[in-house]
Amino acid sequence: MSSSTVSGATGRGRRSPHTARHTTRRRNLGVLLREVHRDGAVSRTELADRMGVNRSTILTLIAKLAETGLVREETSATTGRAGRPSLVVRPETGQVYVLAFDVAVDRVVAARVGLGGAVLERREAARRRGGDDLDEIVDVLAGFGNALVDVAPAGAKCVGVGASYCGLIGAADGKVRLEPTTGWTELDFGPALARRLGLGLPVTVGNEAHLGALAEFERGAGVGSRNLVYLHGDVGVGGGIIVGGRLLDGDEGYAAEVGHMIVNPYDGRPCMCGSRGCLEAEVGEPALLEAAGRTGGPIGREGVRAVVRAAENGDAAARRALDTVGDWLGIGVANLINLFNPGVVVFGGMLSEIYRGAASRVNTRVNESVLHVHRERVALRTAALGYDSTLAGAAELGFAALLSDPLAALAP
Amino acid sequence: MSSSTVSGATGRGRRSPHTARHTTRRRNLGVLLREVHRDGAVSRTELADRMGVNRSTILTLIAKLAETGLVREETSATTGRAGRPSLVVRPETGQVYVLAFDVAVDRVVAARVGLGGAVLERREAARRRGGDDLDEIVDVLAGFGNALVDVAPAGAKCVGVGASYCGLIGAADGKVRLEPTTGWTELDFGPALARRLGLGLPVTVGNEAHLGALAEFERGAGVGSRNLVYLHGDVGVGGGIIVGGRLLDGDEGYAAEVGHMIVNPYDGRPCMCGSRGCLEAEVGEPALLEAAGRTGGPIGREGVRAVVRAAENGDAAARRALDTVGDWLGIGVANLINLFNPGVVVFGGMLSEIYRGAASRVNTRVNESVLHVHRERVALRTAALGYDSTLAGAAELGFAALLSDPLAALAP
C-alpha cells in the first residue's frame, strides 16, 4: 500500500554513513511491522518484495522483531507453493497493545486494541446530548482506560493512546478547535485525558471522519484502493478523504468537511455552521427524522434505524424521507466523485444505515450527475468496520510511534 | 517545496551498492537542476541545505551540471552576507529548451521555453469554435513547432515537448478522453503531434486546468503554498488542485472537475456534461454573456472583458450578470475551501477576468458560506501567469525527463 515507504539513507539532515545505516535499519523494522500489523500474515518473500530488500536483510529484520516479541513466524498451509510450505510472519497480539478512545456525539467508547488491529476488549457509555462537559467525558474515558489496562494480561505493554473526536482538530496543536453539536471550542482534550490516565503516554487526537477514512482504507471497505471518499454520519456529516494513499488534511487539518458542501442554496435547511443547505443539514439525522415525521421518538442510531425499518415495512412517510435524503446525498456524492475521481465511496456511522435504506435512490442520482467517465465505475459501499471505523482509526494513531520505530517504542 | 525529494539508495528493485550510488547521484543532479530551474538563482548553501547533502557533494553536483552547460555559477550582490560575496547557481537558458503547446477552446499556442521557465518565443492562432478538426490543429501546431525549432540558436537542444489540452486526459494512456466543447472523444493527440513534429521526442499531454494549477503552484500565485485550488475559465470551467504539494489526479486522472460540481440543483442551467446546475453552467462564459444580454456580441476573452468593462462603467445589466455569476462562483469556492482547506484559491483563464469584475461579491459569499475556521484566512487571487498558466504547465511536462535525469536527457 502506498502509505508504506522504505526509508532511504538520505534526508534533510547531515549524518555520518554509520548513523544513516543505523537509522535506515530501525525505520525498516517499522516498515516491516506495519505491513504485518495491517495485513495479518505476510510471507517472507512478499515482505522482501514490497520493501525492495534482499533475502538476507529481510531475515535479519524478522529475527530482530521476533526477538522483541512483536512478530512470530509460522508455516502457512494456504500460501505455500506445492511441495514447499512457506513461512509467514504474523503480528504477536499478546505483547503490546494500545488504548483507543472514541468520543462521538451520542456515546464514548474505550478499547484495548492489539497489534494486528483486533479489538481485545471494550467499554462504552452513552453521552447525554448537550448534558455533559469535557471533565465528565475525560473522567469516564480515563476510568475505562485504566480498567482496560488493569485487566490486560501480565507482561503486555501499552505502547500508545489514540482518540477519535467528533470535532475539528487543529493539525498544529492537536486541540479540538470546535465540537459543532455542543459548540465547545479550543478543548485541550488530548493532554487532559493523558493526565487523567497517568500512563506516561501522550494521547494523539484525530477527527472522527478522518480516522474512519484511514481505518476503512487500511483494513476495511477501501483495501486495495488509492483514492477513497468516506462520509461519516454522527448526527451531522463528516468526511475523510484518501488521496493517492494519504489522508487529505489541508493547511490546518480541517480538510474534507463534506458535510458543509452547500447542495441546496435556495430553500436549504439551516445548518449548525451558520450557513444553509449544507449536505449535513439535508441528510443528517435531524433532517431524516423530521422528514419522516418522527421528531418526538427515538434519536441517534436507533432513530435512524427505525426510519429505515419502517420504510422497508411500507411506511410511506419513512420512504419519502429516505428518498428525499437519498437525493441530496446523491448530489453530494456525485460532486465528490467529480472532484476526487475515487475508486470507492464509503458510508460510515449512521450514514451506513441511511445508505442501506436509500441505496437505489442514491445510486440513481449519482449516475445521473457524475461525468460519463465515472458512470458505473465507482464502488459505493457501507463501512466494513461498521460503527468501529472511527475507533479503529484511533487505534492506528496509538500504534504510530511503535510502527515508526519499534525498538524506541519498546525501550524501558 | 515539497515536490522535490532527494533520492535515497533504497527502492523497490534490488541493485548492487555501486549501481545504487550511481543512480542516486544521477537523480540528485535532477533534484538540484529542478531547484534552480524553478527558483532561478539559488546559493550553494541553500541548495546543500534543501537537499540535505554536504558541501563537497553539492560542489560535485554543481560542477557536473556546469560542465554539461545546464547551469552557471555567478557572484550574487544581493544574497551575499556582509564582506563575503555568495555564489549563486543559475539555469543556463541558451543550451536547452522545450516546446510547449496549448490547445484551448478558442485558440492554439506554441512556444519555445528555456530552462528556468522563460517563454523565449511564441506563435498563436485562433480556433474556430466547432469548425476545425484534430488534423487541422495538429498541422498548425506542428508547423509552429518546427518554425520555433528552426529559429532557435545554433547549438540549443530541444529536450522535451509538453502539451496542454482543454479536455479530460486519461492518466494511463495520455489520450484525450473527451473534449467537452466539441464532443470529440478518444483522441490520440500526443502521438499524432509527435509524428508530425518529427523531432524523435514524445509529446506528453495534460489537462489544461491541472497544468495551470501546477504552474501557478511552482512559479505563480501559489508559490509557498502547500494546498492550492485553481479554477480555470476556458468557456467552461476546469479545475486543478494541489494537495500537500502534489497534483490531485484520482484513479484515472479525471480529478478536480470543479466545473461539474452541482451548485444549483433546482432551476440550474443545462450543462454540456448532460447534468444541470453545474458550476460551469452557472459561471461559464455563456452564462455570463446571456445574463448580461450580450448573446450576439463578441465571445471568448473579449466578450467576458467587455462585460467586466461595461459593469465598471455603470452598465446595470452587466453589473447584475457579474453579481449573479459571482454568487454561484462564491458558493463553489466556499465548497472547495471546506473540502480542501487550501492556503490559496487561484482564478485563471477567463475566470481571472470574472473574478476581477465580481471580487467583492465572490468574497462576501465565500465568507458567508465557509466554516468559521476558514473565514478571512484563505487568499483568493488571480493567476500570476495570466493566460499563460496552462502553457507554462505544458512546458513543465516537457522538462520532466531532463529534471528527472539530466545526463540521460542530454545523451546524444
Side-chain angles (χ1 to χ4, degrees), chain B residues 69-379:
Chain B
L70 290 170
V71 305
R72 66 177 190 280
E73 286 196 285
E74 59 185 38
T75 317
S76 162
T78 50
T79 67
R81 296 190 194 146
R84 197 177 164 198
S86 167
L87 280 177
V88 294
V89 185
R90 286 187 188 280
E92 193 66 80
T93 52
Q95 200 72 3
V96 297
Y97 67 89
V98 298
L99 290 181
F101 296 98
D102 187 3
V103 181
V105 173
D106 272 340
R107 71 192 65 206
V108 293
V109 187
R112 199 165 67 81
V113 178
L115 190 63
V119 173
L120 304 170
E121 210 168 343
R122 63 190 295 150
R123 301 276 191 282
E124 196 165 330
R127 267 182 91 180
R128 299 185 311 276
R129 275 194 200 170
D132 52 10
D133 62 29
L134 185 68
D135 282 348
E136 226 177 308
I137 292 174
V138 169
D139 266 7
V140 171
L141 289 180
F144 284 170
N146 285 320
L148 290 166
V149 169
D150 286 346
V151 297
K157 182 177 178 178
C158 180
V159 293
V161 188
S164 162
Y165 202 103
C166 54
L168 291 170
I169 313 298
D173 56 10
K175 275 194 190 178
V176 179
R177 193 105 301 133
L178 170 72
E179 182 182 341
T181 40
T182 56
W184 298 347
T185 57
E186 304 297 328
L187 308 178
D188 256 332
F189 168 66
L193 180 55
R195 265 194 311 275
R196 286 281 287 112
L197 280 168
L199 300 170
L201 291 166
V203 177
T204 314
V205 183
N207 165 272
E208 60 177 350
H210 288 197
L211 294 178
L214 275 173
E216 289 294 328
F217 172 71
E218 295 267 346
R219 47 178 89 242
V223 167
S225 67
R226 282 187 64 246
N227 297 286
L228 171 151
V229 170
Y230 174 81
L231 293 99
H232 184 75
D234 184 12
V235 185
V237 172
I241 297 171
I242 306 291
V243 170
R246 284 163 184 274
L247 183 72
L248 175 73
D249 53 1
D251 267 20
E252 285 104 15
Y254 310 134
E257 281 292 338
V258 305
H260 301 288
M261 183 183 358
I262 297 177
V263 289
N264 186 1
Y266 282 126
D267 60 350
R269 293 166 49 95
C271 183
M272 273 185 291
C273 74
S275 191
R276 281 183 165 271
C278 294
L279 183 64
E280 153 167 328
E282 304 297 341
V283 313
E285 178 204 312
L288 181 73
L289 297 184
E290 276 180 39
R294 290 165 176 255
T295 40
I299 59 168
R301 300 176 189 180
E302 290 65 33
V304 170
R305 252 184 231 133
V307 175
V308 173
R309 253 197 321 265
E312 283 165 0
N313 295 331
D315 180 316
R319 185 68 265 157
R320 272 197 310 274
L322 279 168
D323 284 351
T324 304
V325 163
D327 271 342
W328 292 121
L329 188 55
I331 290 179
V333 169
N335 287 350
L336 293 168
I337 291 172
N338 284 340
L339 283 172
F340 292 97
N341 185 194
V344 56
V345 176
V346 181
F347 300 95
M350 295 180 202
L351 273 179
S352 68
E353 322 256 8
I354 291 175
Y355 181 67
R356 274 190 208 100
S360 71
R361 193 78 173 211
V362 175
N363 296 351
T364 302
R365 197 62 171 100
V366 166
N367 266 312
E368 279 169 17
S369 303
V370 292
L371 292 175
H372 274 87
V373 287
H374 301 307
R375 230 155 267 186
E376 314 287 355
R377 297 214 60 246
V378 188

Side-chain angles (χ1 to χ4, degrees), chain A residues 8 10-12 50 52 227 243 250-254 256-257 260 262-267 335 338-341 343 377, chain B residues 8 10-12 50 52 227 248 250-254 256-257 260 262-267 335 338-341 343 377:
Chain A
T10 56
R12 289 216 147 242
R50 289 188 196 172
N227 298 285
V243 170
D251 267 20
E252 285 104 15
Y254 311 134
E257 282 291 339
H260 301 288
I262 296 177
V263 288
N264 187 2
Y266 282 126
D267 60 350
N335 286 351
N338 283 340
L339 283 172
F340 292 97
N341 185 193
R377 297 214 61 246
Chain B
T10 55
R12 289 215 146 240
R50 289 187 196 174
N227 297 286
L248 175 73
D251 267 20
E252 285 104 15
Y254 310 134
E257 281 292 338
H260 301 288
I262 297 177
V263 289
N264 186 1
Y266 282 126
D267 60 350
N335 287 350
N338 284 340
L339 283 172
F340 292 97
N341 185 194
R377 297 214 60 246

Side-chain angles (χ1 to χ4, degrees), chain A residues 9-15, chain B residues 6-7 24-25 28-29 31-32 44-62:
Chain A
T10 56
R12 289 216 147 242
R14 285 169 214 178
R15 294 184 301 244
Chain B
V6 177
S7 301
T24 304
R25 191 162 55 236
N28 280 345
L29 285 174
V31 174
L32 194 160
R44 287 174 174 182
T45 321
E46 175 67 22
L47 285 169
D49 220 50
R50 289 187 196 174
M51 295 176 62
V53 298
N54 61 29
R55 185 174 160 78
S56 105
T57 305
I58 211 76
L59 293 182
T60 312
L61 294 171
I62 293 170

